[in-house]
Amino acid sequence: MDSVQSLTISQINIIPFEVPLVRAFAFAGNTVSVRSGYYVEITVDGMMGRGEISPLSGISLETLKKAHHDLQEISPYLMNWSFPTTFDDLIKKLGKDKRLNLLCSSVRFGVESALINLAATSQKASVEEFMGAQKRNIDSAVLLQGNYDDVMA
């Protein structure tokens, strides 16, 4: 019987960011001109995975302040936290973890993105390969509005 390799978190960094958009966009009655949030960088054995936590003001259910609070609260819990390096086992562990499931959605997304990135890196695979996806181009910009030329400009 093969044993599942696991990784143990040794460091977590929270990095705030604010990026002005080249052009503001309207979505659900709100205009977004700046993207603000946090990067969460999780380190394991010299490897680093990064996730983005950036709720859209006026659109997301949580605020940036709530996301920062949740991120500060979960960070000590995640220190020395071990997780499996196979996709199915990792998804199973993430789904069963009560503390992670209580996080606001943007923080959960950011933390899970960093962990999936780390597990993929440990397997020497891209995130797409790790998740079993076929690489292909998809012509879609779900959150963007307007004609193609204006959106892609």
Side-chain angles (χ1 to χ4, degrees):
M1 181 166 98
D2 294 330
S3 65
V4 174
Q5 179 189 0
S6 66
L7 301 172
T8 302
I9 297 171
S10 58
Q11 184 177 350
I12 300 171
N13 292 319
I14 301 168
I15 303 163
F17 72 86
E18 189 169 281
V19 179
L21 301 178
V22 172
R23 186 172 37 187
F25 70 91
F27 183 77
N30 295 289
T31 301
V32 179
S33 60
V34 175
R35 203 70 173 115
S36 301
Y38 300 93
Y39 294 119
V40 59
E41 293 180 342
I42 299 176
T43 305
V44 172
D45 297 331
M47 298 180 292
M48 190 267 294
R50 178 184 279 178
E52 181 179 315
I53 298 156
S54 184
L56 284 167
S57 179
I59 298 169
S60 299
L61 295 177
E62 73 263 11
T63 63
L64 191 56
K65 183 177 179 178
K66 168 66 172 150
H68 186 252
H69 175 268
D70 279 13
L71 188 53
Q72 294 283 15
E73 290 289 314
I74 201 65
S75 292
Y77 171 76
L78 290 174
M79 283 301 298
N80 300 310
W81 194 73
S82 293
F83 59 97
T85 61
T86 61
F87 180 71
D88 290 338
D89 291 330
L90 176 56
I91 296 303
K92 203 175 296 178
K93 178 163 182 153
L94 292 172
K96 289 182 179 179
D97 192 292
K98 290 183 171 118
R99 295 278 307 262
L100 292 176
N101 287 316
L102 292 174
L103 296 172
C104 63
S105 59
S106 63
V107 174
R108 185 171 175 192
F109 171 79
V111 168
E112 289 180 356
S113 294
L115 295 172
I116 289 169
N117 186 280
L118 276 165
T121 299
S122 77
Q123 300 293 321
K124 296 180 176 38
S126 68
V127 170
E128 295 88 355
E129 293 164 336
F130 178 72
M131 296 176 77
Q134 299 280 331
K135 287 187 180 179
R136 59 189 167 113
N137 290 331
I138 300 173
D139 294 327
S140 176
V142 178
L143 286 178
L144 304 177
Q145 297 176 347
N147 69 45
Y148 181 83
D149 292 333
D150 289 341
V151 169
M152 300 312 286

